[in-house]
């Protein structure tokens, strides 16, 4: 079931969680059915409290399940973690949907505006309305701004959005 989850997808999850070590942790979980935080820390070479922090984040997103048992000797709780592949797929899909929403908004903005640009690296393009107010001078470097053709940007954004729509089956 986990074969559908590739490394790129794992990286995206790790990025979304904002944790560098999340990838290593997920890979360790992938290779075992159910395991404890101690074992993960040892196998992935991540500090135990970092392991726990990431596991609880994953748990918040229902990406792992948690089972608790009690150590008969010490009486302490042992936490057993398991990856939830179905949830993982859902998580990736919802991430993709969020990216697509942002792309669509950006695309609309690019399509509905005429841009002006001074052609100086580091300066920004400005929409027509703003350019008029600035009497067609760049607010950063003061040079005159010229009409900027954003056709290529629109093309690239459209392609990315189409690709995502295909992946989402929309
Ligand atoms: Zn400029």
């Amino acid at each position: 079931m986990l074969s559908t989850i590739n490394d790129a997808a794992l990286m995206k999850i790790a990025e979304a969680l904002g944790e560098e070590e999340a990838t290593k942790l997920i890979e360790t979980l992938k290779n075992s059915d159910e395991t404890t935080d101690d074992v993960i820390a040892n196998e992935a070479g991540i500090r135990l409290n970092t392991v726990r922090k990431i596991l609880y984040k994953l748990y918040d997103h229902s990406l792992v399940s948690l089972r608790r048992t009690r150590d008969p000797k010490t009486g302490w709780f042992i936490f057993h973690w398991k990856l939830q592949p179905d949830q993982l797929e859902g998580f990736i899909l919802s991430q993709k949907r969020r990216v697509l929403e942002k792309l669509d908004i950006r695309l609309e903005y690019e399509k509905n505006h005429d841009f002006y640009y001074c052609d100086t690296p580091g300066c920004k393009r400005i929409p027509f309305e703003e350019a008029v107010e600035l009497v067609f001078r760049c607010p950063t470097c003061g040079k005159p701004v010229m009409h900027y053709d954003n056709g290529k940007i629109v093309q690239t954004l459209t392609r990315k959005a189409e690709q995502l729509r295909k992946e989402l089956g929309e």
Side-chain angles (χ1 to χ4, degrees):
M1 204 191 268
L2 275 171
S3 57
T4 48
I5 316 266
N6 59 25
D7 287 349
L10 286 175
M11 282 306 288
K12 271 184 199 144
I13 292 171
E15 265 171 41
L17 291 173
E19 298 288 344
E20 235 180 281
E21 284 117 331
T23 317
K24 267 194 271 176
L25 187 145
I26 293 171
E27 266 166 7
T28 308
L29 274 174
K30 237 173 94 173
N31 296 328
S32 53
D33 181 37
E34 193 186 53
T35 186
T36 65
D37 26 10
D38 283 306
V39 172
I40 296 168
N42 282 330
E43 282 184 13
I46 309 170
R47 282 173 51 196
L48 189 58
N49 41 4
T50 308
V51 166
R52 287 190 179 137
K53 202 173 89 184
I54 298 169
L55 281 171
Y56 280 110
K57 273 195 186 183
L58 290 169
Y59 187 68
D60 275 344
H61 290 97
S62 310
L63 298 175
V64 292
S65 65
L66 171 61
R67 189 171 62 87
R68 233 169 39 159
T69 58
R70 210 184 269 279
D71 189 318
K73 278 183 210 151
T74 62
W76 291 359
F77 281 120
I78 305 170
F79 298 93
H80 307 266
W81 303 90
K82 195 175 172 179
L83 209 53
Q84 302 280 77
D86 295 347
Q87 303 294 332
L88 220 49
E89 294 282 10
F91 184 76
I92 293 164
L93 284 179
S94 72
Q95 286 299 116
K96 280 186 180 168
R97 236 168 245 132
R98 269 172 53 184
V99 172
L100 182 59
E101 270 168 34
K102 279 187 196 155
L103 265 178
D104 281 340
I105 291 167
R106 173 85 199 282
L107 194 53
E108 276 306 294
Y109 181 74
E110 291 289 339
K111 278 181 180 167
N112 295 330
H113 288 81
D114 250 334
F115 291 97
Y116 286 77
Y117 184 44
C118 64
D119 225 10
T120 310
C123 288
K124 278 182 183 156
R125 294 180 294 149
I126 45 176
F128 176 75
E129 297 76 12
E130 210 176 306
V132 171
E133 271 174 40
L134 295 161
V135 207
F136 295 92
R137 294 258 163 208
C138 172
T140 310
C141 70
K143 282 187 195 159
V145 289
M146 305 286 284
H147 183 254
Y148 178 88
D149 180 13
N150 69 345
K152 272 196 183 136
I153 295 174
V154 170
Q155 231 176 38
T156 309
L157 290 173
T158 307
R159 229 185 356 246
K160 278 186 190 167
E162 273 170 6
Q163 177 64 34
L164 273 173
R165 261 191 200 94
K166 215 186 282 169
E167 286 172 28
L168 287 164
E170 283 174 8

